[in-house]
Amino acid sequence: EAKITGICAALSALALVFSITGLFSSFLPFDIAWLAVLLCGIPILVGAFCGLVFEHDIKADVLVSLVLIASVFIKEYFAAGEVALIMQIGSLLEDFTSARAKKGIEKLVKLSPQTACIFRDGVEKVVPAEEVRVGDQILVRAGETIPVDGLILSGETSIDQSVMTGESIPVDKKAGDKVSSGTVNQFGTFTMKATALCADSSLQ
């Protein structure tokens, strides 16, 4: 759908350029700006109609549709095509931004650790990250993602915090330092104490 909208917008832009420069005006019995009105304007009119009839909602498409109809009525075809093109470009930018946001959210979801290695009742065991309780001691090995926010009890390492802070260089950590969920242990193995539940951690 985005590709079709992009093609329509590109063709409409060309039509408006031809219209304002007068190219092909001697060969065509109508203003070529009509192409922009049809390609970019019809989806807006359809969206406005569907919004009013089926959703009982007055959206921006309704107001733009009134502008398009008024412009065509007074024979300002270039203005009508220009408004329609601008709205379609805005729609493309909105779709692009939404797609990037969706990818970012999906990436964060993938970063969420699923399990944690904890010491409970003197026994080391792997549990779902959601079952980690505040105060639990967690063992984090090299290459693992930290499951919850916590405080390092023993060990030294470097943590990749780029997902949380944007820092490209790993940050050295030692006993007493805070660590955040979603960050990655780069080198050493360390033991930490959970200071927040999984649902309340920084990544969430």
Side-chain angles (χ1 to χ4, degrees):
E1 185 178 348
K3 288 184 178 180
I4 295 175
T5 303
I7 293 172
C8 289
L11 292 175
S12 298
L14 284 175
L16 291 176
V17 170
F18 293 151
S19 176
I20 199 171
T21 57
L23 293 175
F24 304 115
S25 58
S26 58
F27 303 103
L28 297 173
F30 57 88
D31 191 332
I32 197 171
W34 263 107
L35 185 62
V37 176
L38 294 174
L39 290 177
C40 292
I42 288 179
I44 295 173
L45 292 172
V46 171
F49 176 80
C50 291
L52 282 173
V53 175
F54 301 111
E55 300 174 16
H56 307 292
D57 186 18
I58 298 177
K59 300 180 179 179
D61 285 351
V62 176
L63 302 178
V64 177
S65 296
L66 293 175
V67 173
L68 290 176
I69 293 170
S71 298
V72 171
F73 183 75
I74 62 175
K75 298 182 180 181
E76 289 288 344
Y77 306 122
F78 180 84
E82 186 179 23
V83 169
L85 176 61
I86 290 172
M87 289 300 296
Q88 288 297 70
I89 291 175
S91 177
L92 283 172
L93 291 174
E94 183 180 357
D95 291 343
F96 175 74
T97 304
S98 298
R100 287 191 62 183
K102 183 178 178 181
K103 287 181 180 178
I105 292 171
E106 289 175 347
K107 185 178 179 181
L108 281 177
V109 169
K110 291 179 181 178
L111 286 173
S112 300
Q114 303 300 311
T115 60
C117 180
I118 66 171
F119 296 100
R120 192 174 288 172
D121 301 325
V123 178
E124 177 184 326
K125 55 183 177 180
V126 177
V127 300
E130 294 80 8
E131 294 183 10
V132 174
R133 300 194 294 254
V134 174
D136 277 344
Q137 291 189 23
I138 304 171
L139 179 67
V140 183
R141 298 181 176 85
E144 293 182 345
T145 301
I146 297 172
V148 296
D149 293 350
L151 195 68
I152 294 180
L153 297 176
S154 63
E156 295 184 359
T157 186
S158 292
I159 303 293
D160 178 1
Q161 301 183 144
S162 58
V163 67
M164 301 298 295
T165 65
E167 296 174 276
S168 58
I169 300 175
V171 179
D172 292 336
K173 298 284 185 178
K174 61 183 184 301
D177 289 339
K178 294 180 179 179
V179 290
S180 300
S181 62
T183 57
V184 181
N185 181 22
Q186 293 288 289
F187 302 113
T189 298
F190 64 89
T191 303
M192 59 173 280
K193 179 177 72 174
T195 57
L197 298 176
C198 182
D200 298 327
S201 293
S202 302
L203 182 62
Q204 299 301 324

